[in-house]
Amino acid sequence: MEKARERIPVVAANWKMNKTCAETVNFLSQFLYMVEDVNAQVEVLVFPPFTALRSATTFLQAEKPRKIFPEIGAQNMHWEDSGAFTGEISPLMLKELGIHHVIIGHSERRNLFKEDENSILKKVEAAIRHQMTPIICVGEKFQEREEGLTEEVVKNQLLSILQLFKKTEFTDFMIAYEPVWAIGTGVAASPEDASDVCRYIRALIGSIISPDVAAKVRILYGGSVDVKNFRDFILEPDIDGGLVGTSSLDLKKFVELVKIAGNYG
Ligand code: PEP
């Protein structure tokens, strides 16, 4: 049965530490060519490494807008506008490049770079201050899932963030539910399990912020999404798209994912 779409589906490519400037522009130019005739409503977000952001936005500015047209986002940012933070990139620097989307709290940032809830909250605060759309990543580790703690973990990761949004008028954000054990492993969650967690997240947004915001926010699933399993995720009523790592690096697969999200493939 075809799903009635209340929310525009999103396909977001998290390239992590992959692709040079030249590879990024080459990918985007071929992508535009390959989706030229695709008449579907899909929001496509591409998150290249920082070094390729300027090339990507400059390239896209010179292209004709069309039905499917990627927006470029950043994989991370610091919460301050400037200062003595060696190696960091500020929201102002991203805004200058025309960047309006930023991934915050990806599990690789949390686990490999020791980002904690406090710094993630400050980043979300900075995104709100700069009217940028954060894609806030949450998800449990394998052991936590085994212990039946998934909802508790996700709730703890989201509570102060949702309370922060409640205090502002700005509620343009997305949540990516990414079970840590499914990221880059080739073992995805089942669509039913992912959907249960996404439904739980939506209910949490409804109870903390408002039912209106809960109905509007896009909740994505991430973790070993590929062309074989994506349709099943996207058919779930509470899953509005995918945050995709590995499969987004391959142009043909990425185009296919975009078509699937638009019910075109
Ligand atoms: C990710 O990095 O957000 C991700 C989901 O990666 P992969 O698709 O490779 O599991």
Side-chain angles (χ1 to χ4, degrees):
M1 201 181 64
E2 200 178 307
K3 171 178 160 187
R5 295 230 182 264
E6 306 142 26
R7 296 172 287 270
I8 296 173
V10 180
V11 183
N14 176 16
W15 283 354
K16 313 189 188 194
M17 199 172 70
N18 293 292
K19 297 199 190 290
T20 61
C21 294
E23 287 165 345
T24 299
V25 170
N26 191 29
F27 183 107
L28 291 172
S29 106
Q30 290 190 60
F31 174 80
L32 286 182
Y33 177 73
M34 287 166 80
V35 297
E36 207 165 30
D37 299 326
V38 178
N39 186 21
Q41 227 192 358
V42 189
E43 194 169 325
V44 178
L45 304 173
V46 177
F47 295 86
F50 286 127
T51 46
L53 290 178
R54 180 155 201 129
S55 310
T57 52
T58 305
F59 167 75
L60 288 172
Q61 270 159 19
E63 288 295 309
K64 284 198 308 284
R66 50 201 97 179
K67 185 96 185 170
I68 292 186
F69 200 75
E71 279 266 350
I72 300 300
Q75 296 175 18
N76 183 28
M77 68 178 186
H78 197 271
W79 55 86
E80 294 288 349
D81 289 352
S82 62
F85 301 103
T86 302
E88 293 291 326
I89 303 285
S90 89
L92 278 185
M93 295 164 183
L94 297 174
K95 289 290 289 282
E96 187 191 28
L97 299 181
I99 304 281
H100 296 283
H101 293 81
V102 59
I103 297 176
I104 294 181
H106 190 279
S107 73
E108 285 152 17
R109 300 292 325 164
R110 291 175 190 261
N111 298 325
L112 302 175
F113 301 99
K114 307 296 168 226
E115 281 192 16
D116 59 15
E117 301 305 336
N118 189 36
S119 57
I120 291 167
L121 187 64
K122 287 200 262 186
K123 290 177 184 199
V124 174
E125 239 168 7
I128 294 171
R129 197 168 66 244
H130 287 279
Q131 310 267 288
M132 296 172 79
T133 307
I135 290 79
I136 302 154
C137 301
V138 295
E140 81 286 2
K141 294 184 178 146
F142 183 73
Q143 191 61 31
E144 293 165 335
R145 182 182 193 82
E146 291 289 287
E147 290 169 18
L149 296 174
T150 300
E151 290 187 355
E152 197 179 319
V153 168
V154 165
K155 184 175 179 181
N156 288 339
Q157 289 169 332
L158 280 175
L159 213 53
S160 38
I161 291 174
L162 297 181
Q163 280 157 352
L164 186 64
F165 276 109
K166 186 183 166 63
K167 288 194 233 142
T168 79
E169 296 281 288
F170 186 80
T171 50
D172 190 2
F173 64 96
M174 299 184 201
I175 306 286
Y177 167 56
E178 299 207 305
V180 178
W181 49 270
I183 297 179
T185 59
V187 182
S190 74
E192 298 74 26
D193 285 355
S195 176
D196 286 348
V197 183
C198 292
R199 191 174 321 111
Y200 172 76
I201 292 172
R202 200 175 297 287
L204 202 61
I205 298 170
S207 69
I208 295 177
I209 308 180
S210 76
D212 281 359
V213 173
K216 196 186 78 178
V217 166
R218 265 86 56 86
I219 303 178
L220 318 183
Y221 166 76
S224 298
V225 162
D226 62 30
V227 292
K228 293 198 190 85
N229 62 24
F230 193 42
R231 187 171 282 104
D232 292 334
F233 285 109
I234 205 88
L235 283 172
E236 293 288 344
D238 278 299
I239 300 181
D240 303 310
L243 178 55
V244 189
T246 314
S247 296
S248 74
L249 293 168
D250 180 305
L251 179 66
K252 280 199 189 126
K253 287 184 186 165
F254 189 58
V255 168
E256 199 50 41
L257 292 173
V258 170
K259 288 182 178 174
I260 291 169
N263 206 9
Y264 200 90

